[in-house]
Coordinates of all heavy atoms in Angstrom, one line a residue:
M589 N -76.1 -68.2 38.4 CA -76.6 -66.7 38.5 C -75.4 -65.8 39.0 O -74.5 -66.3 39.8 CB -77.6 -66.6 39.5 CG -78.3 -65.2 39.5 SD -79.4 -65.1 41.0 CE -80.0 -63.3 40.8
D590 N -75.2 -64.6 38.6 CA -74.2 -63.8 38.9 C -74.3 -63.3 40.4 O -75.3 -63.4 41.0 CB -74.3 -62.4 38.1 CG -73.9 -62.7 36.7 OD1 -73.3 -63.6 36.4 OD2 -74.1 -61.7 35.9
A591 N -73.2 -63.0 40.9 CA -73.1 -62.5 42.3 C -74.2 -61.3 42.5 O -74.3 -60.6 41.7 CB -71.8 -62.1 42.8
V592 N -74.9 -61.3 43.6 CA -75.8 -60.3 43.9 C -75.0 -59.1 44.3 O -74.2 -59.1 45.2 CB -76.8 -60.7 45.0 CG1 -77.8 -59.6 45.2 CG2 -77.5 -61.9 44.6
S593 N -75.3 -57.9 43.7 CA -74.6 -56.7 44.0 C -75.5 -55.6 44.5 O -76.5 -55.5 44.2 CB -73.8 -56.2 42.7 OG -74.2 -54.9 42.4
F594 N -74.8 -54.9 45.5 CA -75.7 -53.8 46.2 C -76.2 -52.8 45.1 O -77.3 -52.5 44.9 CB -74.9 -53.0 47.2 CG -75.7 -52.0 47.8 CD1 -76.8 -52.2 48.7 CD2 -75.4 -50.7 47.5 CE1 -77.4 -51.3 49.4 CE2 -76.3 -49.6 48.0 CZ -77.2 -50.0 49.0
A595 N -75.2 -52.3 44.3 CA -75.6 -51.2 43.3 C -76.5 -51.7 42.2 O -77.4 -51.0 41.9 CB -74.3 -50.7 42.7
Q596 N -76.3 -52.9 41.8 CA -77.1 -53.4 40.7 C -78.4 -54.0 41.1 O -79.4 -53.9 40.5 CB -76.4 -54.4 39.8 CG -75.3 -53.8 39.0 CD -74.6 -54.8 38.1 OE1 -75.2 -55.8 37.6 NE2 -73.3 -54.7 37.9
D597 N -78.4 -54.7 42.2 CA -79.5 -55.6 42.7 C -80.4 -55.1 43.8 O -81.6 -55.2 43.8 CB -79.1 -56.9 42.8 CG -78.3 -57.6 41.6 OD1 -78.9 -57.6 40.5 OD2 -77.2 -58.0 41.8
I598 N -79.7 -54.6 44.8 CA -80.3 -54.3 46.0 C -80.8 -52.8 46.1 O -81.8 -52.5 46.5 CB -79.3 -54.5 47.2 CG1 -78.9 -56.1 47.2 CG2 -80.1 -54.2 48.6 CD1 -80.0 -57.1 47.3
R599 N -79.9 -51.9 45.8 CA -80.2 -50.5 45.9 C -81.5 -50.1 45.1 O -82.4 -49.3 45.7 CB -79.0 -49.5 45.4 CG -79.3 -48.1 45.2 CD -79.7 -47.4 46.6 NE -80.1 -46.2 46.4 CZ -81.4 -45.7 46.1 NH1 -82.3 -46.6 45.9 NH2 -81.6 -44.5 45.9
P600 N -81.7 -50.6 44.0 CA -82.9 -50.3 43.2 C -84.3 -50.8 43.8 O -85.3 -50.4 43.5 CB -82.7 -50.9 41.9 CG -81.3 -51.2 41.7 CD -80.8 -51.4 43.1
L601 N -84.2 -51.6 44.8 CA -85.4 -52.2 45.5 C -86.0 -51.3 46.5 O -87.0 -51.2 46.9 CB -85.0 -53.5 46.2 CG -84.4 -54.6 45.5 CD1 -84.0 -55.8 46.4 CD2 -85.4 -55.0 44.3
F602 N -85.1 -50.2 46.8 CA -85.6 -49.4 47.8 C -86.1 -48.0 47.1 O -85.5 -47.4 46.4 CB -84.5 -48.8 48.8 CG -83.9 -50.0 49.6 CD1 -82.5 -50.2 49.6 CD2 -84.6 -50.8 50.4 CE1 -82.0 -51.2 50.2 CE2 -84.0 -51.7 51.1 CZ -82.8 -52.0 51.0
R603 N -87.5 -47.7 47.4 CA -88.1 -46.5 46.9 C -87.6 -45.3 47.6 O -87.2 -45.3 48.7 CB -89.6 -46.6 47.0 CG -90.2 -48.0 46.5 CD -91.5 -48.1 47.1 NE -91.5 -48.3 48.6 CZ -92.7 -48.5 49.2 NH1 -93.9 -48.5 48.7 NH2 -92.5 -48.6 50.6
D604 N -87.9 -44.1 47.0 CA -87.6 -42.8 47.6 C -88.3 -42.7 48.9 O -87.9 -42.3 49.8 CB -88.1 -41.7 46.7 CG -87.1 -41.5 45.6 OD1 -86.1 -42.1 45.6 OD2 -87.5 -40.7 44.7
K605 N -89.6 -43.3 48.9 CA -90.3 -43.4 50.1 C -89.7 -44.2 51.3 O -89.7 -43.8 52.5 CB -91.8 -44.0 49.9 CG -92.5 -44.2 51.0 CD -94.0 -44.7 50.8 CE -94.9 -44.7 51.9 NZ -96.2 -45.1 51.7
D606 N -89.1 -45.3 50.9 CA -88.3 -46.0 51.9 C -87.1 -45.2 52.4 O -86.9 -45.1 53.7 CB -87.8 -47.3 51.3 CG -88.9 -48.2 50.8 OD1 -90.1 -48.3 51.4 OD2 -88.7 -48.8 49.7
L607 N -86.3 -44.6 51.6 CA -85.3 -43.7 51.9 C -85.6 -42.7 52.9 O -85.1 -42.5 54.0 CB -84.7 -43.1 50.7 CG -83.5 -43.9 50.1 CD1 -83.8 -45.4 49.7 CD2 -83.0 -43.2 48.8
N608 N -86.8 -41.9 52.5 CA -87.1 -40.8 53.4 C -87.7 -41.3 54.6 O -87.5 -40.8 55.7 CB -88.3 -40.1 52.6 CG -87.7 -39.4 51.3 OD1 -86.6 -39.2 51.2 ND2 -88.6 -39.2 50.4
S609 N -88.5 -42.4 54.7 CA -89.2 -42.9 56.0 C -88.1 -43.4 56.9 O -88.4 -43.3 58.1 CB -90.2 -43.9 55.6 OG -91.2 -43.5 54.8
M610 N -87.0 -43.9 56.4 CA -86.1 -44.7 57.3 C -84.8 -43.7 57.5 O -83.9 -44.3 58.2 CB -85.7 -45.9 56.7 CG -86.8 -47.0 56.6 SD -87.7 -47.1 58.3 CE -86.2 -47.4 59.3
S611 N -84.7 -42.6 57.1 CA -83.4 -41.8 57.2 C -83.1 -41.6 58.6 O -81.8 -41.4 58.9 CB -83.5 -40.6 56.4 OG -84.6 -39.8 56.9
W612 N -83.9 -41.6 59.5 CA -83.6 -41.4 60.9 C -82.8 -42.5 61.5 O -82.1 -42.3 62.5 CB -84.9 -41.2 61.8 CG -85.9 -42.4 61.7 CD1 -86.8 -42.7 60.6 CD2 -85.9 -43.5 62.5 NE1 -87.4 -43.9 60.9 CE2 -86.8 -44.5 62.1 CE3 -85.2 -43.8 63.7 CZ2 -87.1 -45.7 62.7 CZ3 -85.5 -45.0 64.4 CH2 -86.5 -45.9 63.8
A613 N -83.0 -43.7 60.8 CA -82.4 -44.9 61.5 C -81.2 -45.4 60.6 O -80.2 -45.9 61.0 CB -83.3 -45.9 61.7
V614 N -81.5 -45.5 59.3 CA -80.6 -46.1 58.3 C -80.7 -45.4 57.0 O -81.9 -45.1 56.5 CB -80.7 -47.6 58.1 CG1 -82.2 -47.9 58.1 CG2 -79.9 -48.2 57.1
D615 N -79.6 -45.1 56.3 CA -79.6 -44.6 54.9 C -79.7 -45.8 53.9 O -78.6 -46.3 53.7 CB -78.4 -43.6 54.7 CG -78.4 -43.1 53.4 OD1 -79.3 -43.4 52.5 OD2 -77.4 -42.3 53.0
L616 N -80.8 -46.0 53.4 CA -81.1 -47.3 52.6 C -80.3 -47.2 51.3 O -80.2 -48.0 50.5 CB -82.4 -47.5 52.4 CG -83.1 -48.2 53.7 CD1 -84.7 -48.2 53.4 CD2 -82.7 -49.5 54.1
A617 N -79.8 -45.8 51.0 CA -79.1 -45.6 49.7 C -77.6 -45.8 49.9 O -76.9 -45.9 48.9 CB -79.4 -44.2 49.3
S618 N -77.2 -46.0 51.2 CA -75.8 -46.2 51.4 C -75.4 -47.6 51.6 O -75.8 -48.4 52.4 CB -75.5 -45.3 52.7 OG -74.3 -45.9 53.4
Y619 N -74.4 -48.0 50.8 CA -73.8 -49.4 50.9 C -73.4 -49.8 52.3 O -73.8 -50.8 52.9 CB -72.7 -49.5 49.9 CG -72.0 -50.9 50.1 CD1 -72.4 -52.2 49.7 CD2 -70.7 -50.8 50.9 CE1 -71.7 -53.3 50.0 CE2 -69.9 -52.0 51.2 CZ -70.4 -53.2 50.7 OH -69.7 -54.4 50.9
D620 N -72.6 -48.8 52.8 CA -72.0 -49.1 54.2 C -73.1 -49.1 55.3 O -73.0 -50.0 56.1 CB -71.2 -47.9 54.7 CG -69.9 -47.9 53.9 OD1 -69.4 -49.0 53.5 OD2 -69.2 -46.9 53.6
D621 N -74.2 -48.2 55.2 CA -75.2 -48.2 56.1 C -76.1 -49.6 56.0 O -76.5 -50.2 57.0 CB -76.3 -47.1 56.0 CG -76.0 -46.1 57.0 OD1 -75.1 -46.1 57.7 OD2 -77.1 -45.6 57.3
V622 N -76.4 -50.0 54.8 CA -77.3 -51.2 54.7 C -76.6 -52.4 55.0 O -77.1 -53.3 55.7 CB -77.8 -51.3 53.1 CG1 -78.5 -52.6 52.9 CG2 -78.6 -50.0 53.0
K623 N -75.2 -52.4 54.7 CA -74.3 -53.5 55.2 C -74.3 -53.7 56.7 O -74.6 -54.7 57.3 CB -73.0 -53.4 54.7 CG -72.0 -54.5 55.0 CD -70.7 -54.3 54.5 CE -69.7 -55.4 54.8 NZ -68.4 -55.3 54.4
T624 N -74.1 -52.4 57.4 CA -74.0 -52.5 58.8 C -75.3 -53.0 59.5 O -75.3 -53.7 60.5 CB -73.7 -51.1 59.3 OG1 -72.5 -50.7 58.8 CG2 -73.7 -50.9 60.8
H625 N -76.5 -52.6 58.9 CA -77.7 -52.9 59.5 C -78.5 -54.1 58.8 O -79.7 -54.2 59.0 CB -78.7 -51.7 59.4 CG -78.3 -50.5 60.2 ND1 -77.5 -49.5 59.7 CD2 -78.3 -50.2 61.5 CE1 -77.2 -48.5 60.6 NE2 -77.7 -49.1 61.8
A626 N -77.7 -54.8 58.0 CA -78.3 -56.0 57.2 C -79.2 -56.9 57.9 O -80.3 -57.2 57.5 CB -77.2 -56.6 56.3
E627 N -78.6 -57.3 59.1 CA -79.4 -58.3 59.9 C -80.8 -57.7 60.3 O -81.9 -58.5 60.2 CB -78.6 -58.8 61.1 CG -77.5 -59.8 60.7 CD -77.9 -61.2 60.2 OE1 -79.1 -61.5 60.2 OE2 -77.0 -61.9 59.7
G628 N -80.7 -56.6 60.9 CA -82.0 -56.0 61.2 C -82.9 -55.7 60.1 O -84.1 -55.8 60.2
I629 N -82.3 -55.3 59.0 CA -83.1 -55.1 57.8 C -83.8 -56.2 57.4 O -85.0 -56.4 57.0 CB -82.4 -54.4 56.7 CG1 -81.9 -52.9 57.0 CG2 -83.1 -54.4 55.4 CD1 -80.9 -52.3 56.2
Y630 N -83.0 -57.4 57.3 CA -83.5 -58.6 56.8 C -84.6 -59.1 57.8 O -85.7 -59.7 57.3 CB -82.4 -59.8 56.7 CG -82.9 -61.1 56.5 CD1 -83.3 -61.3 55.0 CD2 -83.0 -62.0 57.3 CE1 -83.8 -62.6 54.7 CE2 -83.6 -63.3 57.0 CZ -84.0 -63.5 55.7 OH -84.6 -64.8 55.4
N631 N -84.4 -59.0 59.0 CA -85.4 -59.5 60.0 C -86.8 -58.8 59.7 O -87.8 -59.4 59.7 CB -85.0 -59.2 61.5 CG -84.0 -60.2 62.0 OD1 -83.9 -61.3 61.4 ND2 -83.2 -59.8 62.9
R632 N -86.8 -57.5 59.5 CA -88.0 -56.7 59.1 C -88.6 -57.2 57.9 O -89.8 -57.4 57.8 CB -87.6 -55.2 59.0 CG -87.2 -54.7 60.4 CD -88.3 -54.7 61.5 NE -87.7 -53.9 62.7 CZ -88.4 -53.0 63.2 NH1 -89.7 -52.6 62.9 NH2 -87.9 -52.4 64.4
L633 N -87.7 -57.4 56.9 CA -88.3 -57.8 55.7 C -89.0 -59.1 55.6 O -89.9 -59.4 55.2 CB -87.0 -57.8 54.5 CG -86.5 -56.5 54.2 CD1 -85.3 -56.6 53.2 CD2 -87.6 -55.5 53.5
S634 N -88.2 -60.1 56.4 CA -88.6 -61.4 56.4 C -89.9 -61.6 57.2 O -90.8 -62.4 57.0 CB -87.5 -62.4 56.7 OG -87.1 -62.1 58.1
R635 N -90.0 -60.8 58.3 CA -91.2 -60.8 59.2 C -92.4 -60.1 58.5 O -93.5 -60.2 58.8 CB -91.0 -60.2 60.5 CG -90.5 -61.2 61.5 CD -90.3 -60.5 62.9 NE -89.0 -60.0 63.1 CZ -88.6 -59.0 63.7 NH1 -89.5 -58.3 64.4 NH2 -87.4 -58.6 63.8
G636 N -92.0 -59.3 57.4 CA -93.0 -58.5 56.7 C -93.6 -57.3 57.3 O -94.5 -56.7 56.8
N637 N -92.8 -56.7 58.4 CA -93.3 -55.5 58.9 C -92.7 -54.3 58.4 O -92.9 -53.2 58.8 CB -93.3 -55.6 60.4 CG -92.0 -55.9 61.1 OD1 -91.0 -55.9 60.4 ND2 -92.0 -56.1 62.4
M638 N -91.7 -54.5 57.4 CA -91.2 -53.4 56.6 C -91.1 -53.8 55.2 O -90.7 -55.0 55.0 CB -89.7 -53.0 57.2 CG -89.7 -52.3 58.5 SD -90.4 -50.6 58.2 CE -91.1 -50.3 59.8
P639 N -91.4 -52.9 54.3 CA -91.8 -51.6 54.5 C -93.2 -51.6 55.1 O -94.0 -52.5 55.2 CB -92.0 -51.1 53.1 CG -91.1 -52.0 52.1 CD -91.2 -53.3 52.9
C640 N -93.5 -50.3 55.9 CA -94.6 -50.3 56.6 C -96.0 -50.3 55.9 O -97.0 -50.5 56.4 CB -94.6 -49.0 57.4 SG -94.7 -47.5 56.3
D641 N -95.9 -50.2 54.6 CA -97.1 -50.2 53.7 C -97.1 -51.4 52.8 O -98.0 -51.5 51.8 CB -97.1 -48.9 52.8 CG -95.8 -48.8 51.9 OD1 -94.9 -49.5 52.1 OD2 -95.9 -48.0 50.9
G642 N -96.4 -52.5 53.2 CA -96.6 -53.7 52.3 C -95.4 -54.4 52.3 O -94.3 -53.9 51.9
A643 N -95.5 -55.8 52.7 CA -94.3 -56.6 52.8 C -93.8 -56.9 51.3 O -94.5 -56.8 50.3 CB -94.7 -57.9 53.3
W644 N -92.5 -57.1 51.2 CA -92.0 -57.6 50.0 C -92.3 -58.9 49.7 O -92.5 -59.8 50.5 CB -90.4 -57.6 50.1 CG -89.7 -56.1 50.0 CD1 -90.3 -55.0 49.9 CD2 -88.2 -55.9 49.9 NE1 -89.3 -53.9 49.6 CE2 -88.0 -54.6 49.8 CE3 -87.2 -56.7 50.0 CZ2 -86.8 -53.9 49.7 CZ3 -86.0 -56.2 49.9 CH2 -85.7 -54.8 49.8
P645 N -92.3 -59.2 48.4 CA -92.6 -60.7 48.0 C -91.3 -61.5 48.5 O -90.2 -61.0 48.6 CB -92.7 -60.7 46.5 CG -92.4 -59.3 46.0 CD -92.3 -58.5 47.3
D646 N -91.6 -62.8 48.6 CA -90.6 -63.6 49.2 C -89.2 -63.7 48.4 O -88.1 -63.8 48.9 CB -91.1 -65.1 49.4 CG -92.1 -65.2 50.6 OD1 -92.2 -64.2 51.3 OD2 -92.7 -66.3 50.6
D647 N -89.5 -63.7 47.1 CA -88.2 -63.8 46.2 C -87.4 -62.6 46.4 O -86.2 -62.6 46.3 CB -88.6 -64.1 44.8 CG -89.5 -62.9 44.2 OD1 -90.1 -62.2 45.0 OD2 -89.6 -62.8 42.9
R648 N -88.1 -61.3 46.6 CA -87.2 -60.1 46.8 C -86.4 -60.2 48.1 O -85.2 -59.8 48.2 CB -88.1 -58.9 46.7 CG -87.3 -57.7 46.5 CD -88.2 -56.5 46.6 NE -89.2 -56.3 45.5 CZ -89.9 -55.3 45.3 NH1 -89.8 -54.3 46.0 NH2 -90.7 -55.2 44.3
T649 N -87.1 -60.7 49.1 CA -86.4 -60.8 50.5 C -85.3 -61.8 50.4 O -84.2 -61.7 51.0 CB -87.4 -61.2 51.6 OG1 -88.5 -60.2 51.6 CG2 -86.9 -61.4 53.0
A650 N -85.6 -62.9 49.6 CA -84.5 -64.0 49.5 C -83.3 -63.5 48.7 O -82.2 -63.8 49.0 CB -85.0 -65.1 48.6
L651 N -83.5 -62.5 47.8 CA -82.5 -61.8 47.1 C -81.6 -61.0 48.1 O -80.3 -61.1 48.0 CB -83.0 -61.0 45.9 CG -81.9 -60.2 45.1 CD1 -81.3 -61.3 44.2 CD2 -82.6 -59.2 44.1
F652 N -82.1 -60.2 48.9 CA -81.5 -59.6 49.9 C -80.6 -60.5 50.9 O -79.5 -60.3 51.1 CB -82.5 -58.8 50.8 CG -81.7 -57.8 51.8 CD1 -81.5 -56.5 51.3 CD2 -81.4 -58.2 53.0 CE1 -80.8 -55.7 52.2 CE2 -80.8 -57.3 53.9 CZ -80.4 -56.0 53.5
R653 N -81.2 -61.6 51.1 CA -80.6 -62.6 52.0 C -79.4 -63.2 51.2 O -78.3 -63.5 51.8 CB -81.4 -63.7 52.4 CG -81.0 -64.9 53.3 CD -80.8 -64.4 54.7 NE -79.4 -64.5 55.2 CZ -78.9 -64.1 56.4 NH1 -79.9 -63.6 57.2 NH2 -77.8 -64.2 56.7
R654 N -79.4 -63.4 49.9 CA -78.5 -64.0 49.2 C -77.3 -63.0 49.1 O -76.1 -63.3 49.1 CB -79.0 -64.4 47.8 CG -78.0 -65.3 47.0 CD -79.0 -66.2 46.0 NE -79.6 -65.5 44.9 CZ -80.8 -65.5 44.7 NH1 -81.7 -66.0 45.5 NH2 -81.2 -64.8 43.6
W655 N -77.7 -61.7 48.9 CA -76.6 -60.7 48.9 C -75.7 -60.7 50.2 O -74.6 -60.7 50.2 CB -77.3 -59.2 48.8 CG -76.4 -58.2 48.9 CD1 -75.4 -57.8 48.0 CD2 -76.4 -57.1 50.0 NE1 -74.7 -56.7 48.5 CE2 -75.3 -56.3 49.6 CE3 -77.0 -56.9 51.1 CZ2 -74.9 -55.3 50.5 CZ3 -76.8 -55.9 52.0 CH2 -75.6 -55.0 51.6
M656 N -76.4 -60.9 51.4 CA -75.8 -61.1 52.5 C -74.8 -62.2 52.7 O -73.6 -62.2 53.0 CB -76.7 -61.0 53.8 CG -77.6 -59.9 54.0 SD -78.9 -60.2 55.2 CE -78.0 -60.4 56.6
D657 N -75.5 -63.4 52.3 CA -74.8 -64.7 52.3 C -73.6 -64.8 51.5 O -72.6 -65.5 51.7 CB -75.8 -65.8 52.1 CG -76.8 -66.0 53.1 OD1 -76.6 -65.4 54.3 OD2 -77.8 -66.7 52.9
Q658 N -73.7 -64.1 50.3 CA -72.5 -64.1 49.3 C -71.5 -63.0 49.8 O -70.4 -63.0 49.1 CB -73.0 -63.7 47.9 CG -73.8 -64.8 47.4 CD -74.4 -64.4 45.9 OE1 -74.4 -63.3 45.5 NE2 -75.1 -65.3 45.4
G659 N -71.7 -62.4 50.8 CA -70.5 -61.5 51.4 C -70.6 -60.0 51.1 O -69.7 -59.3 51.0
Y660 N -71.9 -59.5 50.7 CA -72.2 -58.0 50.6 C -71.4 -57.4 49.6 O -70.6 -56.4 49.7 CB -71.8 -57.4 51.9 CG -72.4 -57.9 53.2 CD1 -71.7 -58.8 54.0 CD2 -73.8 -57.5 53.5 CE1 -72.4 -59.2 55.2 CE2 -74.3 -58.1 54.6 CZ -73.6 -58.9 55.4 OH -74.3 -59.4 56.6
A661 N -71.5 -58.0 48.3 CA -70.8 -57.3 47.2 C -71.3 -55.9 46.9 O -72.5 -55.7 47.0 CB -71.0 -58.2 45.9
P662 N -70.4 -55.0 46.7 CA -70.8 -53.6 46.5 C -71.6 -53.5 45.1 O -72.4 -52.5 45.0 CB -69.6 -52.7 46.5 CG -68.4 -53.8 46.2 CD -68.9 -55.2 46.7
Ligands
HEM1517 C1 -87.6 -51.6 52.3 C2 -87.9 -50.5 53.0 C3 -87.7 -50.5 54.6 C4 -86.8 -51.0 55.3 C5 -85.7 -52.1 54.9 C6 -87.0 -50.7 56.8 C7 -86.2 -51.2 57.7 C8 -86.5 -50.8 59.1 C9 -85.7 -51.1 60.2 C10 -84.5 -52.0 60.1 C11 -86.3 -50.6 61.4 C12 -85.7 -50.7 62.7 C13 -84.8 -49.5 62.9 C14 -84.2 -49.4 64.3 O1 -84.9 -49.5 65.3 O2 -83.0 -49.1 64.3 C15 -87.4 -49.9 60.9 C16 -88.2 -49.1 61.7 C17 -89.3 -48.4 61.3 N1 -89.6 -48.1 60.0 FE1 -88.9 -48.9 58.4 N2 -88.1 -49.8 56.7 C18 -88.5 -49.6 55.4 C19 -89.5 -48.8 54.9 C20 -90.4 -48.1 55.8 C21 -91.5 -47.3 55.4 C22 -92.0 -47.2 53.9 C23 -92.1 -46.7 56.5 C24 -93.2 -45.8 56.6 C25 -93.9 -45.1 55.8 C26 -91.1 -47.2 57.6 C27 -91.5 -46.7 58.9 C28 -90.7 -47.2 60.0 C29 -91.1 -46.8 61.4 C30 -92.2 -46.0 61.8 C31 -90.1 -47.5 62.2 C32 -90.0 -47.4 63.8 C33 -91.0 -48.3 64.3 C34 -90.7 -49.7 64.3 O3 -89.6 -50.1 64.7 O4 -91.6 -50.5 63.7 N3 -90.2 -47.9 57.2 N4 -87.6 -50.0 59.5

């Protein structure tokens, strides 16, 4: 499988609602911001308490983890 990229694979997972709800803490549209907060974001995703209106399916959270583990490709 190709390397997981922020622009191609991760950014499209965040809805406008996610961007708007989280802008006080992290800009989910920003590569730098998501990279900086990646551990905290992953913790929320994997525990299932973010997004606040429904957990991501496991394969989607695993994709985010893979993006981290592969070194945060832009
Ligand atoms: C994929 C989408 C989302 C991600 C990755 C995400 C991630 C996070 C993270 C990392 C925090 C902790 C921030 C901090 O304390 O610095 C947080 C807090 C919070 N988020 Fe989200 N969020 C998402 C979507 C949403 C949505 C859709 C809502 C509500 C409509 C929401 C509401 C909140 C609220 C109210 C808090 C503060 C209370 C708490 O810590 O539980 N988030 N979120």
Side-chain angles (χ1 to χ4, degrees):
M589 190 195 177
D590 287 346
V592 182
S593 118
F594 181 77
Q596 285 185 35
D597 305 302
I598 301 301
R599 171 64 188 84
L601 303 179
F602 301 124
R603 307 163 297 176
D604 287 349
K605 176 176 182 174
D606 300 322
L607 267 51
N608 294 334
S609 303
M610 292 313 304
S611 60
W612 59 275
V614 47
D615 179 1
L616 292 173
S618 155
Y619 168 78
D620 288 332
D621 245 33
V622 174
K623 181 179 176 183
T624 300
H625 294 98
E627 286 291 350
I629 291 170
Y630 176 75
N631 283 340
R632 299 291 185 133
L633 294 173
S634 59
R635 273 184 265 148
N637 59 7
M638 284 292 145
C640 66
D641 57 345
W644 279 7
D646 289 348
D647 58 343
R648 197 186 290 192
T649 301
L651 186 70
F652 189 86
R653 183 74 237 180
R654 203 146 69 237
W655 175 67
M656 296 172 66
D657 292 345
Q658 289 178 354
Y660 307 98

